[in-house]
Amino acid sequence: MEASSTSGLQGDHPSRTICVLGMHRSGTSCLTGSLQEAGLQLGDCHTWNPFNLKGNRENQAFVDLHDAILEANGGSWDHPPANVQWSERHLAMGRELVAAHSHLPVMGFKDPRTLLVLEGWQQLEPKMEFVGIFRHPNAVAASLARRSKMKRKEALRLWYEYNKRLLNAFRRTPFPVLCFDASEQEFQQHLAGVIKTLELQPAEVGENFYDGDLKNFDHQSSGRLPLKVGYLYKRLKAICV
């Protein structure tokens, strides 16, 4: 991936915009926080919540916009619409959000809902760069059961809907994709490669956003996967770095 220069700004846009893509409870916060340590600038983002003690690193303005778009299309984060259209008002709100961060040389944002509304962002920011992450369906289902009291069947359905969109986005324009099921050592090695690809700066020695103590579920969680869910997981494993 050829990254554009980080020097100078382009009118009401940051020089670069990097978006983290991934399903809820799939390591997106860990990846985003790690990229933030490497120089990705997130603006005003959440740095703590009860289910993520280091914060989900989400900018609430982006989350609110995505929720509004989903609601206007008859859906929500846990009931993804089959098709999503951005209204002119939503496009204007997106432009305003980007313009509000135009002073940042390398702007980043993360919200799992982005996968459900991605086409609008690609229309607004054709040069937007992406990095993705995924996690085993069983681990995601266990985490959603704890956080949202979500039943396993519903969680697996949701995992499929989000990660189907992740794979489709990769097929359109390939970008780095990490697997959160990797060991800490493997994850850090692959993360270092992604940081280099994105032309960010490695974090200072001793700084490490990854915290294994906060990773409460693994892919060994019990339960046989539906055929299409297991197949999609294998397809994602085949494209990850």
Side-chain angles (χ1 to χ4, degrees), residues 26 133-135 163 166 177-181 233 236-237 240:
S26 295
I133 191 167
F134 67 97
R135 190 181 189 186
N163 285 287
L166 177 62
V177 177
L178 291 159
C179 178
F180 200 50
D181 301 319
Y233 179 72
L236 290 170
K237 287 284 286 184
C240 69

Side-chain angles (χ1 to χ4, degrees), residues 16 22 25 52-53 90 137 143 163-164 183 202:
R16 297 174 64 195
R25 319 308 296 168
N52 194 330
L53 299 185
H90 294 142
S143 187
N163 285 287
K164 176 177 65 175
S183 67

Side-chain angles (χ1 to χ4, degrees), residues 136-174:
H136 195 281
N138 280 334
V140 172
S143 187
L144 282 173
R146 179 189 178 210
R147 188 196 73 175
S148 304
K149 309 303 180 186
M150 186 176 289
K151 294 182 179 179
R152 172 180 164 79
K153 182 178 180 179
E154 177 65 13
L156 293 179
R157 180 194 67 81
L158 206 58
W159 183 97
Y160 182 82
E161 290 297 326
Y162 274 77
N163 285 287
K164 176 177 65 175
R165 289 165 171 80
L166 177 62
L167 181 59
N168 287 340
F170 174 87
R171 285 172 171 168
R172 288 193 295 269
T173 306

Side-chain angles (χ1 to χ4, degrees), residues 23-24 70 73-84 113 115-117 154 157-162 164-165:
M23 163 71 178
H24 301 266
L70 292 172
N73 284 271
S76 61
W77 76 269
D78 53 350
H79 290 91
N83 298 293
V84 171
R113 299 163 186 79
L115 280 169
L116 309 180
V117 301
E154 177 65 13
R157 180 194 67 81
L158 206 58
W159 183 97
Y160 182 82
E161 290 297 326
Y162 274 77
K164 176 177 65 175
R165 289 165 171 80

Side-chain angles (χ1 to χ4, degrees), residues 29-43:
S29 302
C30 179
L31 173 56
T32 306
S34 298
L35 295 179
Q36 185 180 26
E37 288 182 341
L40 186 63
Q41 295 172 284
L42 305 175

